[in-house]
Amino acid sequence: GRLMIYDRMERLGCYRGLCPALDALIDRLMPGDAWRSLPLGRTDVAGGDAYITRSTVALEPVRPLYEMHRAFGDIHIALTSGETIACLPRDAIAWPQDHAETLLAHGPEGISLPMAEGFFAIFFPWDAHRPSQGTGSCDKLVGKFRW
């Protein structure tokens, strides 16, 4: 199967066609630098199948828990540098037996993605990810899309 995607924002449009809700997010974030001017808080897209939240996130040197989502994928977009996101295939982690949309669990070290300004990472429901690692804070967008 596919694994997560890590790339620069100028190539975001290359990933159209994976699912309709992600396409709606891409259309809202493009053309050009439209993504840089989204307002703070939540912006709904595609009638509730997708949304984007702009926020300032406090970073932690060590975040112990990975997360995974059952029905939604995530796109994390760095407006400022400083965050690192770790990721693993979700089957590398023993998850709690719970039917919640978002599950949290400890896991081994994964691949580290340095989220420099203008980079994005897309995580699908089969990707475990551990965002918000670093020091200080960063400004970012997090989009959710129904898979």
Side-chain angles (χ1 to χ4, degrees):
R2 293 182 203 95
L3 295 174
M4 63 88 204
I5 295 168
Y6 175 66
D7 205 342
R8 296 190 56 81
M9 282 302 289
E10 58 261 25
R11 290 190 287 271
L12 180 61
C14 297
Y15 299 98
R16 282 188 175 94
L18 295 174
C19 87
L22 178 57
D23 287 353
L25 276 181
I26 292 170
D27 290 344
R28 178 64 180 88
L29 293 163
M30 308 298 279
D33 283 353
W35 57 278
R36 291 186 186 274
S37 59
L38 285 173
L40 283 172
R42 179 172 162 153
T43 300
D44 286 313
V45 179
D49 280 341
Y51 62 90
I52 308 161
T53 303
R54 181 182 183 145
S55 62
T56 299
V57 176
L59 302 175
E60 302 171 48
V62 178
R63 271 202 84 203
L65 296 177
Y66 281 87
E67 59 186 64
M68 66 157 264
H69 311 293
R70 294 187 183 279
F72 281 80
D74 285 357
I75 179 169
H76 294 248
I77 301 166
L79 296 168
T80 59
S81 298
E83 179 184 28
T84 298
I85 301 177
C87 64
L88 286 168
R90 77 174 182 200
D91 56 7
I93 295 174
W95 298 97
Q97 296 301 309
D98 189 332
H99 296 291
E101 167 59 21
T102 299
L103 299 180
L104 301 172
H106 291 274
E109 265 322 297
I111 298 166
S112 287
L113 306 175
M115 298 299 291
E117 179 184 344
F119 275 77
F120 70 89
I122 299 174
F123 302 102
F124 299 98
W126 49 84
D127 296 317
H129 52 289
R130 191 173 65 194
S132 305
Q133 296 179 113
T135 56
S137 64
C138 71
D139 293 333
K140 68 183 291 187
L141 303 172
V142 177
K144 298 275 191 184
F145 57 93
R146 184 176 298 280
W147 184 257

